[in-house]
Amino acid sequence: MKEEDLVYGFGEAVRGINKRGFSYESFCLDDDMHTEQKHSLYGAHNFFMVSGEESFGVFVDYPGRVRFDVGETVSSKFMIIVEEFCFDLYIIEAPTMKEINREFRKLIGRSYIPPKWAFGYQQSRWSYKSEEEVREVATHFREKHIPIDAIYLDIDYMDHFKDFTVSNTNFPNLQQLIEELKQQRINLVPIIDAGVKMEEGYSVYEEGIRNGYFCTDENGEPFVAGVWPGKVHFPDVLNPDARTWFGSQYKSLYDMGIEGFWNDMNEPAMFYSLDGIAQLIESIENVKGKNLDMDTFFQMKDKFANMMNNLTDYQSFYHNVNGVRIRHDKVHNLYGFNMTRAAKEVFDNNYPEKRILLFSRASYIGMHRYAGIWTGDNRSWWSQLLLNIQMMPALNMCGFLYSGADIGGFGDNTTEELIIRWMQFGIFTPLMRNHSAAGTRRQEPYAWEKIDVIRKIIGIRYGLIPYLYSEYMKAVLNNEMLFYPLAFEYPDDSRARGVENQLMVGESIMIAPMYIQNARGRYVYLPEDMLLVRLKSVKEREYSMYKKGDHYIDVPLDEVVLFVRKNHIFFLGNEAESVPELDSENLEIIAWADEDISYQRYDDDGETKKYRASEHYSTIWVEWENNQYDIKVQKDNNTIFKHYDGQNIFHPF
Amino acid sequence: MKEEDLVYGFGEAVRGINKRGFSYESFCLDDDMHTEQKHSLYGAHNFFMVSGEESFGVFVDYPGRVRFDVGETVSSKFMIIVEEFCFDLYIIEAPTMKEINREFRKLIGRSYIPPKWAFGYQQSRWSYKSEEEVREVATHFREKHIPIDAIYLDIDYMDHFKDFTVSNTNFPNLQQLIEELKQQRINLVPIIDAGVKMEEGYSVYEEGIRNGYFCTDENGEPFVAGVWPGKVHFPDVLNPDARTWFGSQYKSLYDMGIEGFWNDMNEPAMFYSLDGIAQLIESIENVKGKNLDMDTFFQMKDKFANMMNNLTDYQSFYHNVNGVRIRHDKVHNLYGFNMTRAAKEVFDNNYPEKRILLFSRASYIGMHRYAGIWTGDNRSWWSQLLLNIQMMPALNMCGFLYSGADIGGFGDNTTEELIIRWMQFGIFTPLMRNHSAAGTRRQEPYAWEKIDVIRKIIGIRYGLIPYLYSEYMKAVLNNEMLFYPLAFEYPDDSRARGVENQLMVGESIMIAPMYIQNARGRYVYLPEDMLLVRLKSVKEREYSMYKKGDHYIDVPLDEVVLFVRKNHIFFLGNEAESVPELDSENLEIIAWADEDISYQRYDDDGETKKYRASEHYSTIWVEWENNQYDIKVQKDNNTIFKHYDGQNIFHPF
C-alpha cells in the first residue's frame, strides 16, 4: 500500500471508516466487548475497496475463516490469508468507489426491503417479561405521546427458551396482546434463537430428531451445545430440507399476527459444548487440594473464559449439505445466513405479497438479500456510538442497508446525555431501536428527566421518514449506499478523504453527529457550500448558510443538526406518532439553491412489493420564478402544485 | 450542578478532562481493561474541583471506598457516598482553578522529585529475562543511536518471584551487569511486588513471620493470597515497624548499584484467596454430572471471573496499626501508599542526599510526596492514548507530577502508527517509558520499519528536557501543575472550557496531540496567538505564526508539533543520547514576541537535593534592541550574553 491509499469495507468491524492499520478476521463471533483489538464481530463481511492511484474492490467468497491484515503487521502491506484453497476471488475494477460498490452490489443481489413501519421508532429490552409489562410500555409511549411502531420480545417470552413456543404463564393470551397493540399501531417483534432445546414432547425437537434435521457430531449423533435453554441441538440450516422445515416454524407466530422477527445467537453462539464442560470440570477436580501455581490458575481461568464460542467446538460438528458431510468451521459464516434465509424463503413462498420485518445478528455477504442486521450486543459507551457511526457506511457497502445499533447501548448503564446523543444519530439509521440488557438501568425514553428532548428527537425521526424511505428505496433499487463516506462524493478533495466523523445520508444531506461526552459543539468540514438546519423538533427549525471549508458549530443537547447540500432538495414530513399516521403528501421542502433543482422521490404503501412501479416515483422541483422560488411536484407527467412555499428555500449569498 | 459547571479531578480515572456524566469510585483496583465503564482504576484520588458560578475544590480524606456520582444517575446532581462517617472533608475556596489547586497542593505537601536521568527515555518489557537479553537491548539502543537512560526488569529477574531476590540462573552477575550498563549511562530499574512468597528458608518470609509483620486473617494467622509467586503474605505496611522493615529490604538492591524501583501489584492485587479458591473448586465439583442450566453455568463463570481482587477477600484480612486491628477494606487505598512510603522513608533516612527513582501502581492522595506513579496495565488501543492525554492534568491536580502511561500500550499488540503517535505525546510526560506485556508483539523502537522516525522523536524528548525539567521543578516547588487544561489558563474563554484534546505544558507551550488512527491532521483551538513549531528532529524545525481561533493543521507521521504562546519563551537543548550528555547551557531560544519578555529557568545537577538554592535559577531575556532581538541570560545578578541569536525569534505580523 502507498501512504495515501485508503481502504474501505469489512462491514461489521471495529475501528474507523478507513480500515488501515489493523487486521480483520471473518469468523462470526458472539462477543459483547467491541473494543479496538477485536478482530471479529458477529458478521463476516469479506469485501473491501482500495482507493488510491489504482482503485478496486475485492470480494473473497469463502465461508470459513479469512484474515485481512491491512497494514497491521507491516504498515505498507496488505495480506489476505484464507484457510483453504477452495475460495472464489472477485476483483472489481471501476473508476470510482461508488461505481465499484455498485458493481459489487449488482453481483451480490438486491438488498432486503422491510415494511415501512420498520422505519418507525422501536423499543426493546431484555426483557419485557409479561403481557402486563408490554402493555405498560405501550401505554407509556402512547400516553406520553412518544412516537413508536414496535415493541420487542426478548428470550423470556418463550416457554423455557424453546423456539416457537410462548410462555403460558407470562404470555397466556399473546394473540390478544398482538391485536390490542395493532390497534395502537404497535407491532410486536419476537426473538428467535438458533438452538433448539432438547426436550421430550417438544414438537420442534422431536420433528428435528425424527427427520435428522440437526447438526451431528463426529459419531453422527445430534451435536449437543449449551445455550439459553440448556442443552440444545442446532438445526442444520445448510441442509435445504432442514432449512425449509425450520423456516416453516415461523408460521405459527405469523399466524398469530406477528409481522416481524429478529434472529439471534446464530453465529451460532455456544456457551459450552458437552465435551468442553465435562473436560473443564474434570481438570478443576484435578487441582483440588494441590498447591495451585500461577500457571495452573491462569490455565483454569482461561479455560473458563474460552468455553464460550470455542473453535474446537466449531470443529466438532457437521452439516449435511445435499448428502455431503461438511465440518462446521469450514462453513461457519453461513450459519446465521442460512437460518435467516430459512425464514425468508418460507415467507416468500407462503406470503409472497407481504413484507415482513426480519433481521439477524450473524451474517455473511449475501444475507442482505433476506434480511437486515443489527450490530449485536454493544455497550453504553461513547466510543460505541462513534463505532456505530463509522460502521454504517461499511455495512452499506456490503449491502446491509436495513441496519442499526442498539441505541443507548445494550450492556452497562447508559446515561441521559449518551442516549440523547445516540438518538440524535439513530434517527438516521433505518433500524432505529433502543435495546438494553437485563440488569442494566432502564433506558426507555420515559425513564429520563429530559423526556421532552427525547420525545422531540424521536419526533424528528418521523419527520425524516419521507426522505429516509425515499433514499433507502432508491439505494436498494439502484444498488447505492444510504450512508457513505464524504470521500465517495468528493473523491478529489484530500480533506474529505480524511473525514471519519461525518457521513453523507442519501443524495441531499450530510450529518456531523455528536459523540463526545460533555461536548456542546464540534468541528465540521464542509466539502461544498451547505445549509445548516437546526431542529429542536420537526417544527422548531433554524437555518444558516455555510461556505465550503472548516467550521466550528455549537450543538446543544436539545438540537439535531444536519447539513443540506447546496442545490439539493431535502424535505420533512409531519409529526406523526406512528408510521401509518405519516402524511406522505404534505412535505416541507428545504433547500439552498442558486439554480433550478429537482429531486426524484420514491414512495409506496410500505407493505406490498411492486417496487418498480412508476407510480412510486414523483419529482419535486424548486424553480426560480419572478424573483421567488416556486415548488412543484410532478408525477406520471402531471404537474401538481402542492403548495407555494418559499419560506424554507434560501437564496445564494 | 448547573448546565455550565465543569468538574475536574479524580486523578487516575477513565473518561475526559471534564468528569461530568459518570461515577468514580475510589478503591484501588488491579484491572487491565480501562474501558469507559470502569469506576475504579489503580489509584484512589478523592479530589475534585468545580468550575462554575461558584468555584471550589473538595478533598474527601477517607481510605476506604468512596463513590462520586458526577451526574451519572441524575445529570444535574453530584452525589458523594462515603462508606463510613469517619472521614475528613476539606472544601477549598479560591477565585480560580489554579489557585484552588495550589491551596490543595499546599495542604497535601510537595510532590516527589526524581533524579534527572529519570526524564530520559526508558525501555521496559515483561520481561527481559536474562543478562544477555538486557545487554542485547542496551546494545540495540547504543549501536542504533537511539537515546535511552533506563532499562527495566519485570518480575522474571527474581528467583521464583521472591521480592528482593535475584535469579541465579538468569541473572548470575547482576551487579556486574548494573556496572556495565552504568558505563553506558543506562540505569537498571527492577520491579518490587507487594506479596511475599511463603517459602521456608526465604529470609524475607521468615523475618516477616518471626516479627509478625504480615497482615493477618480473622484468626490472627498470616493471611494467604495467591499472586505471582503462588501463595504469599502481605507485609503490613500500615504498621510502622513492618513498614521500616519492608523498606529496608530495598537496600540490598541499592547496595548493588540500583538507583530506581517500581512498586507493583500493591492495590494489593490478589489472583485469589485461599478460601476463595477452595470454595470455587468445591462448587464446581458439585455440578459434575448434573444437567447444567444456564444460571448455574453463568454463576460458575462469574465466580471464576470474580476470584481476582474480590471484595470479600479484602474484607477478610487485617492490619495492626499501633496496636489497633483494622480490617483491610476500611484502609484499602492506603496499602500501595504505605508500601511506597516504606521504601521512601528508608531511602531518606539512609541516603538523605540521594535522589532515587521510585514510582508505584497503586496510590492515594499524599503518596505523591514519596514517589511517582505510572498508570498501570493499559492496552495498545488508540482510545488509551487519548485517555493518557486526558489523565495527565487530573494526575497533576492530585500532586502526581512524575507520571506517565506505558507508551505503545501494555496489553494487546501495538502497531507502528500507534506507537509513533503515542511517542509523540509521551515525549512530554515526565515518565517516558515504553512497556509491553508478555505474549504481545515486541515494541522497542528498533522493532519497527520507521526506526528513523522513532529515533528522532526520542531525540526531540532530549531536546525538550531543559524546558520540561525547568517546568517540572518549578511546578513541584510552587505547587503548580505541569499539564493543565486550557480552561485553567483562559477561564473566561468559553471555547477553551470545552477543549478536551489539547493541553498546556508548563508556562510557555500548548500541545495538540494526534490520537486518531490514520489521521494526518487535526483541528486546533488557539485561545491566543501562538507560534506553531514543527519538529522532524531537534534540529529540523519549521515555524508558522497562527492567530487566536480555530485552525486545521496537517500533522504528518514524522512530525512533532507544539505551540509556543506569544510573548513566552520556549527553548530546546541538544541532541543527546542520555541525560548526562545533555548540554544544559547551550539552548536554542524560540519565541514569537512583540515586547520584551523573560523566562525564569530552573536547573540543577539532577542528583542532589538543595532544590531551593538560588544558583539553580537563571533568567532568560528576549529584548528588542536596534530593530533586532537580543537574547541574554542572567544568573545571580550577573548578566551573561550566551549568544546573539535572533533566528528563532519571530516578530509580530
Side-chain angles (χ1 to χ4, degrees):
Chain A
M1 291 184 286
K2 299 214 173 74
E3 165 76 18
E4 62 277 12
D5 289 342
L6 303 181
V7 178
Y8 298 101
F10 303 118
E12 193 174 337
V14 297
R15 305 210 176 202
I17 293 175
N18 178 0
K19 308 311 280 188
R20 284 189 72 159
F22 194 58
S23 292
Y24 303 92
E25 191 168 273
S26 286
F27 200 76
C28 297
L29 206 61
D30 170 28
D31 185 337
D32 68 346
M33 285 285 282
H34 309 165
T35 45
E36 278 175 56
Q37 90 281 22
K38 293 300 169 76
H39 299 286
S40 304
L41 297 177
Y42 310 89
H45 301 150
N46 307 345
F47 172 70
F48 64 89
M49 296 190 277
V50 176
S51 168
E53 218 170 283
E54 286 174 274
S55 291
F56 54 93
V58 174
F59 171 37
V60 180
D61 195 7
Y62 174 71
R65 188 186 294 261
V66 186
R67 193 171 182 96
F68 301 89
D69 182 334
V70 195
E72 184 190 31
T73 303
V74 179
S75 63
S76 58
K77 275 204 181 136
F78 194 137
M79 291 181 281
I80 304 176
I81 301 103
V82 191
E83 277 204 341
E84 297 179 300
F85 275 109
C86 54
F87 62 91
D88 289 325
L89 181 72
Y90 298 80
I91 298 179
I92 299 158
E93 290 176 316
T96 69
M97 290 292 107
K98 280 191 169 187
E99 283 170 89
I100 292 167
N101 193 249
R102 206 179 293 125
E103 290 306 314
F104 171 60
R105 301 271 299 284
K106 273 187 208 165
L107 181 71
I108 60 172
R110 197 185 73 192
S111 296
Y112 162 77
I113 298 172
K116 201 192 223 177
W117 62 259
F119 283 80
Y121 176 78
Q122 311 188 44
Q123 184 62 53
S124 187
R125 171 89 179 166
W126 173 29
S127 294
Y128 299 128
K129 289 200 178 186
S130 65
E131 293 178 5
E132 292 64 45
E133 201 176 349
V134 172
R135 270 190 196 98
E136 201 180 290
V137 173
T139 304
H140 271 297
F141 276 89
R142 288 296 174 235
E143 287 191 348
K144 297 183 169 74
H145 300 289
I146 303 164
I148 189 168
D149 273 271
I151 294 174
Y152 280 68
L153 296 179
D154 208 318
I155 53 173
D156 299 291
Y157 81 91
M158 291 181 269
D159 174 20
H160 293 86
F161 311 121
K162 289 185 299 225
D163 276 343
F164 311 111
T165 69
V166 177
S167 161
N168 273 329
T169 328
N170 298 323
F171 291 87
N173 297 299
L174 180 62
Q175 188 153 5
Q176 190 191 316
L177 179 69
I178 294 166
E179 280 159 22
E180 244 182 81
L181 289 176
K182 277 198 178 174
Q183 281 161 21
Q184 299 181 53
R185 300 164 310 284
I186 295 174
N187 290 278
L188 209 54
V189 183
I191 199 168
I192 307 292
D193 278 2
V196 170
K197 187 175 191 339
M198 291 166 61
E199 186 181 287
E200 300 295 323
Y202 164 40
S203 67
V204 182
Y205 166 73
E206 292 194 337
E207 284 172 34
I209 290 286
R210 197 180 315 128
N211 297 297
Y213 284 160
F214 293 124
C215 294
T216 51
D217 65 16
E218 230 171 357
N219 307 318
E221 296 298 315
F223 176 77
V224 181
V227 208
W228 292 120
K231 292 181 190 167
V232 303
H233 296 321
F234 290 127
D236 187 0
V237 285
L238 275 72
N239 168 344
D241 292 340
R243 185 163 66 239
T244 304
W245 163 77
F246 189 79
S248 66
Q249 305 300 322
Y250 287 74
K251 289 197 288 185
S252 64
L253 287 159
Y254 181 85
D255 290 343
M256 294 175 84
I258 295 289
E259 298 179 37
F261 301 89
W262 49 313
N263 285 347
D264 196 14
M265 304 294 281
N266 55 358
E267 291 72 26
M270 249 190 280
F271 297 153
Y272 60 80
S273 68
L274 213 56
D275 277 1
I277 197 83
Q279 280 171 26
L280 177 66
I281 291 174
E282 189 145 342
S283 75
I284 289 171
E285 263 198 313
N286 287 340
V287 300
K288 201 191 167 183
K290 291 184 188 161
N291 188 358
L292 200 62
D293 65 35
M294 281 309 114
D295 280 352
T296 315
F297 172 74
F298 279 104
Q299 273 166 25
M300 273 167 56
K301 191 169 185 297
D302 289 351
K303 266 187 197 163
F304 236 97
N306 294 332
M307 281 303 293
M308 288 174 82
N309 311 312
N310 188 289
L311 183 60
T312 309
D313 291 334
Y314 287 131
Q315 289 166 337
S316 65
F317 68 92
Y318 296 82
H319 298 274
N320 172 359
V321 184
N322 302 318
V324 182
R325 203 164 143 82
I326 299 178
R327 206 176 71 189
H328 173 76
D329 62 305
K330 295 175 184 295
V331 290
H332 174 73
N333 295 332
L334 289 178
Y335 192 86
F337 174 113
N338 277 294
M339 177 195 171
T340 302
R341 178 184 180 189
K344 177 66 170 168
E345 285 176 346
V346 166
F347 296 156
D348 281 352
N349 288 334
N350 289 274
Y351 324 109
E353 289 311 310
K354 181 82 185 169
R355 293 194 220 171
I356 295 172
L357 173 62
L358 182 63
F359 60 92
S360 169
R361 194 169 73 181
S363 62
Y364 180 73
I365 295 287
M367 202 202 76
H368 69 291
R369 297 190 297 266
Y370 313 128
I373 55 174
W374 93 104
T375 57
D377 296 344
N378 62 2
R379 300 254 176 168
S380 296
W381 301 351
W382 288 87
S383 54
Q384 305 265 299
L385 166 53
L386 176 60
L387 183 62
N388 183 195
I389 295 165
Q390 294 178 322
M391 209 189 273
M392 291 311 295
L395 294 174
N396 278 203
M397 283 172 215
C398 297
F400 293 99
L401 295 189
Y402 190 76
S403 56
D406 287 348
I407 291 171
F410 176 73
D412 295 324
N413 290 328
T414 197
T415 62
E416 187 172 76
E417 188 192 2
L418 178 56
I419 200 157
I420 286 176
R421 291 306 196 191
W422 210 322
M423 288 262 190
Q424 288 174 346
F425 171 67
I427 57 173
F428 296 98
T429 62
L431 169 59
M432 182 190 184
R433 187 178 72 141
N434 176 340
H435 182 44
S436 55
T440 64
R441 183 178 189 179
R442 298 302 291 239
Q443 64 185 46
E444 291 83 2
Y446 48 81
W448 306 98
E449 260 194 314
K450 294 192 165 70
I451 179 174
D452 284 340
V453 172
I454 299 174
R455 178 195 292 112
K456 286 178 174 185
I457 295 170
I458 299 174
I460 295 168
R461 160 63 168 219
Y462 283 77
L464 284 169
I465 289 176
Y467 174 77
L468 279 182
Y469 189 71
S470 170
E471 289 299 313
Y472 182 91
M473 291 302 295
K474 282 158 54 183
V476 168
L477 299 172
N478 304 328
N479 294 309
E480 307 278 358
M481 301 164 69
L482 177 64
F483 290 94
Y484 49 102
L486 273 61
F488 283 31
E489 189 65 31
Y490 313 95
D492 301 325
D493 181 334
S494 65
R495 283 291 307 288
R497 287 169 65 85
V499 174
E500 291 263 330
N501 59 9
Q502 304 170 207
L503 295 175
M504 309 302 297
V505 185
E507 69 172 63
S508 301
I509 67 172
M510 183 188 80
I511 58 171
M514 296 295 291
Y515 56 88
I516 293 176
Q517 189 176 23
N518 294 316
R520 292 293 179 271
R522 58 160 289 170
Y523 289 104
V524 181
Y525 176 71
L526 302 192
E528 60 176 321
D529 295 353
M530 291 186 180
L531 179 71
L532 169 61
V533 185
R534 295 180 177 278
L535 302 105
K536 278 198 202 297
S537 69
V538 178
K539 295 293 176 199
E540 299 164 273
R541 297 188 300 266
E542 279 179 27
Y543 303 96
S544 28
M545 286 164 282
Y546 277 84
K547 284 289 192 190
K548 171 176 167 39
D550 294 304
H551 302 278
Y552 182 90
I553 57 163
D554 293 319
V555 187
L557 208 52
D558 61 350
E559 280 189 14
V560 168
V561 300
L562 58 86
F563 293 87
V564 181
R565 299 172 64 188
K566 193 169 172 184
N567 292 324
H568 283 75
I569 290 174
F570 173 65
F571 47 94
L572 285 169
N574 60 323
E575 285 183 304
E577 286 187 33
S578 69
V579 168
E581 292 165 281
L582 281 173
D583 173 355
S584 73
E585 296 305 310
N586 285 300
L587 307 176
E588 294 208 62
I589 310 296
I590 296 166
W592 174 22
D594 57 11
E595 56 190 47
D596 292 352
I597 52 176
S598 69
Y599 174 89
Q600 191 190 37
R601 181 183 174 208
Y602 180 97
D603 196 21
D604 62 19
D605 63 11
E607 292 176 9
T608 56
K609 295 187 170 177
K610 292 201 187 69
Y611 308 119
R612 298 273 176 201
S614 68
E615 71 197 53
H616 300 328
Y617 291 92
S618 58
T619 305
I620 301 171
W621 292 90
V622 172
E623 287 177 336
W624 183 252
E625 211 169 304
N626 301 328
N627 287 337
Q628 283 194 307
Y629 280 95
D630 212 9
I631 297 166
K632 76 178 180 204
V633 178
Q634 278 185 320
K635 196 165 178 176
D636 295 330
N637 292 323
N638 298 317
T639 297
I640 316 151
F641 281 90
K642 283 292 166 197
H643 50 229
Y644 171 82
D645 178 3
Q647 86 181 79
N648 301 312
I649 310 298
F650 294 86
H651 302 245
F653 289 124
Chain B
M1 291 184 287
K2 299 215 172 74
E3 164 76 18
E4 63 277 12
D5 289 342
L6 302 181
V7 179
Y8 298 100
F10 303 119
E12 192 173 338
V14 298
R15 305 209 177 202
I17 292 175
N18 178 0
K19 307 311 282 187
R20 284 189 71 158
F22 194 58
S23 292
Y24 303 92
E25 191 168 273
S26 285
F27 200 75
C28 297
L29 206 62
D30 170 27
D31 185 336
D32 69 344
M33 286 286 282
H34 309 164
T35 45
E36 278 173 56
Q37 90 282 22
K38 292 300 168 77
H39 300 284
S40 304
L41 297 177
Y42 309 89
H45 301 152
N46 306 347
F47 172 68
F48 65 89
M49 296 190 277
V50 176
S51 168
E53 218 171 285
E54 287 174 274
S55 291
F56 54 93
V58 175
F59 170 37
V60 180
D61 195 7
Y62 174 72
R65 189 186 294 261
V66 186
R67 194 171 180 96
F68 300 89
D69 182 334
V70 195
E72 183 190 30
T73 303
V74 180
S75 63
S76 58
K77 275 206 181 133
F78 194 137
M79 292 181 282
I80 304 176
I81 302 102
V82 191
E83 278 205 340
E84 296 178 301
F85 275 110
C86 53
F87 62 90
D88 288 324
L89 181 72
Y90 298 80
I91 298 179
I92 300 159
E93 289 176 314
T96 69
M97 290 292 108
K98 280 190 171 189
E99 284 169 90
I100 292 166
N101 194 249
R102 205 179 294 125
E103 291 304 315
F104 172 61
R105 301 273 299 285
K106 272 186 208 165
L107 180 73
I108 61 171
R110 197 185 74 193
S111 296
Y112 163 77
I113 298 172
K116 200 190 224 176
W117 62 259
F119 283 80
Y121 176 77
Q122 312 189 44
Q123 184 62 53
S124 187
R125 170 89 179 164
W126 172 28
S127 293
Y128 300 128
K129 289 200 178 185
S130 65
E131 293 178 4
E132 293 64 47
E133 202 176 348
V134 172
R135 272 191 194 96
E136 201 181 288
V137 173
T139 304
H140 271 298
F141 276 90
R142 288 296 173 235
E143 288 190 350
K144 295 183 171 74
H145 299 289
I146 303 163
I148 188 168
D149 273 270
I151 294 174
Y152 279 68
L153 296 179
D154 209 316
I155 53 174
D156 298 291
Y157 81 91
M158 291 180 270
D159 175 21
H160 292 87
F161 311 121
K162 289 185 298 222
D163 275 344
F164 312 111
T165 69
V166 177
S167 161
N168 273 328
T169 327
N170 298 324
F171 291 87
N173 296 299
L174 180 61
Q175 187 153 5
Q176 190 191 316
L177 179 69
I178 293 166
E179 280 159 22
E180 244 182 81
L181 289 176
K182 278 199 178 175
Q183 280 162 22
Q184 299 180 53
R185 300 165 308 285
I186 295 174
N187 291 278
L188 208 54
V189 183
I191 199 168
I192 307 292
D193 277 2
V196 169
K197 187 176 192 337
M198 291 166 62
E199 188 182 286
E200 300 295 323
Y202 164 40
S203 67
V204 183
Y205 166 72
E206 292 194 336
E207 284 172 34
I209 291 286
R210 198 178 314 130
N211 297 296
Y213 284 160
F214 293 123
C215 294
T216 51
D217 65 16
E218 229 170 358
N219 306 317
E221 296 298 314
F223 176 76
V224 181
V227 207
W228 293 120
K231 292 180 190 166
V232 303
H233 296 322
F234 291 127
D236 187 0
V237 286
L238 275 72
N239 168 343
D241 293 339
R243 185 163 66 238
T244 304
W245 163 75
F246 190 78
S248 66
Q249 305 299 321
Y250 287 74
K251 289 198 288 183
S252 64
L253 287 160
Y254 181 85
D255 290 343
M256 295 174 84
I258 294 289
E259 298 179 37
F261 301 89
W262 49 312
N263 286 347
D264 196 14
M265 304 295 280
N266 54 358
E267 292 71 26
M270 249 190 282
F271 298 153
Y272 59 83
S273 67
L274 212 58
D275 277 1
I277 197 83
Q279 280 171 26
L280 177 66
I281 291 174
E282 188 146 343
S283 75
I284 289 172
E285 262 200 313
N286 288 340
V287 301
K288 200 191 167 183
K290 292 185 187 158
N291 189 358
L292 199 62
D293 67 34
M294 281 308 115
D295 280 352
T296 315
F297 172 75
F298 279 104
Q299 274 166 24
M300 275 168 54
K301 193 169 184 298
D302 288 351
K303 268 188 196 160
F304 236 96
N306 294 332
M307 281 302 293
M308 288 173 82
N309 311 312
N310 188 289
L311 183 60
T312 309
D313 291 334
Y314 287 130
Q315 288 166 337
S316 64
F317 68 93
Y318 295 83
H319 296 276
N320 171 359
V321 184
N322 303 319
V324 182
R325 204 165 142 83
I326 301 179
R327 206 174 73 188
H328 173 77
D329 62 306
K330 295 176 184 294
V331 290
H332 174 73
N333 295 331
L334 289 178
Y335 192 87
F337 174 114
N338 277 295
M339 177 195 171
T340 302
R341 178 183 180 189
K344 176 66 170 169
E345 286 177 344
V346 167
F347 296 156
D348 281 351
N349 289 333
N350 288 274
Y351 325 109
E353 289 311 310
K354 181 82 185 171
R355 293 194 220 171
I356 295 172
L357 173 61
L358 183 62
F359 59 93
S360 169
R361 193 168 73 181
S363 62
Y364 180 73
I365 295 286
M367 201 202 76
H368 70 290
R369 297 190 297 267
Y370 313 128
I373 55 174
W374 94 103
T375 57
D377 297 344
N378 62 2
R379 300 255 177 169
S380 297
W381 300 353
W382 289 87
S383 54
Q384 305 263 301
L385 165 53
L386 177 59
L387 184 60
N388 183 193
I389 295 164
Q390 294 178 322
M391 208 188 273
M392 291 311 295
L395 294 174
N396 279 203
M397 282 172 217
C398 297
F400 293 99
L401 295 189
Y402 190 76
S403 55
D406 287 348
I407 291 171
F410 176 73
D412 295 324
N413 291 327
T414 195
T415 62
E416 188 171 75
E417 189 193 1
L418 178 57
I419 199 157
I420 286 176
R421 290 306 196 191
W422 210 321
M423 288 264 190
Q424 289 174 346
F425 172 67
I427 58 173
F428 296 98
T429 63
L431 169 60
M432 182 190 184
R433 187 177 73 141
N434 175 340
H435 182 44
S436 54
T440 63
R441 183 178 189 181
R442 297 303 290 240
Q443 64 186 45
E444 291 82 2
Y446 48 81
W448 306 98
E449 260 193 314
K450 293 191 166 70
I451 177 174
D452 285 339
V453 171
I454 299 174
R455 178 195 294 112
K456 287 178 173 185
I457 295 168
I458 299 174
I460 295 169
R461 160 62 167 220
Y462 283 78
L464 284 169
I465 288 177
Y467 173 76
L468 279 183
Y469 189 71
S470 171
E471 289 298 313
Y472 182 90
M473 292 301 296
K474 282 159 53 184
V476 168
L477 298 172
N478 304 327
N479 294 311
E480 306 279 357
M481 301 165 69
L482 177 63
F483 290 94
Y484 49 102
L486 274 60
F488 282 32
E489 190 64 33
Y490 312 95
D492 301 325
D493 181 334
S494 66
R495 283 292 307 286
R497 287 169 65 85
V499 173
E500 292 262 331
N501 60 8
Q502 304 170 207
L503 296 175
M504 309 303 295
V505 184
E507 69 171 64
S508 302
I509 66 172
M510 183 188 81
I511 58 171
M514 297 294 292
Y515 56 87
I516 293 176
Q517 189 176 25
N518 294 317
R520 293 293 180 272
R522 58 160 288 169
Y523 290 104
V524 181
Y525 175 70
L526 302 192
E528 59 176 324
D529 295 353
M530 291 186 181
L531 179 72
L532 169 61
V533 186
R534 295 180 176 277
L535 303 105
K536 277 199 200 300
S537 68
V538 178
K539 295 294 175 199
E540 298 164 275
R541 299 189 299 266
E542 279 179 28
Y543 302 97
S544 28
M545 285 165 282
Y546 276 84
K547 284 289 192 191
K548 171 177 167 37
D550 295 303
H551 301 279
Y552 182 90
I553 57 163
D554 292 319
V555 188
L557 208 51
D558 61 351
E559 280 188 15
V560 168
V561 300
L562 59 86
F563 293 86
V564 181
R565 298 172 66 189
K566 194 170 172 184
N567 291 326
H568 283 75
I569 291 174
F570 174 64
F571 47 95
L572 285 169
N574 60 322
E575 283 182 304
E577 287 188 32
S578 68
V579 168
E581 292 165 283
L582 281 173
D583 173 355
S584 72
E585 296 305 310
N586 285 300
L587 307 175
E588 295 207 61
I589 311 296
I590 296 166
W592 175 21
D594 57 11
E595 57 190 47
D596 293 350
I597 52 176
S598 69
Y599 174 89
Q600 191 190 39
R601 181 183 173 209
Y602 179 98
D603 196 20
D604 62 20
D605 63 10
E607 291 176 9
T608 56
K609 295 187 171 178
K610 293 202 186 68
Y611 307 120
R612 297 272 176 199
S614 69
E615 70 196 53
H616 300 328
Y617 291 91
S618 58
T619 306
I620 302 171
W621 292 90
V622 172
E623 288 178 334
W624 183 253
E625 211 168 305
N626 301 326
N627 287 335
Q628 283 194 306
Y629 281 94
D630 211 11
I631 297 166
K632 76 178 177 202
V633 178
Q634 278 185 319
K635 194 164 178 175
D636 295 331
N637 292 324
N638 298 316
T639 297
I640 315 150
F641 281 91
K642 281 293 167 200
H643 49 229
Y644 171 84
D645 179 3
Q647 88 181 77
N648 301 312
I649 310 298
F650 294 86
H651 302 246
F653 290 123

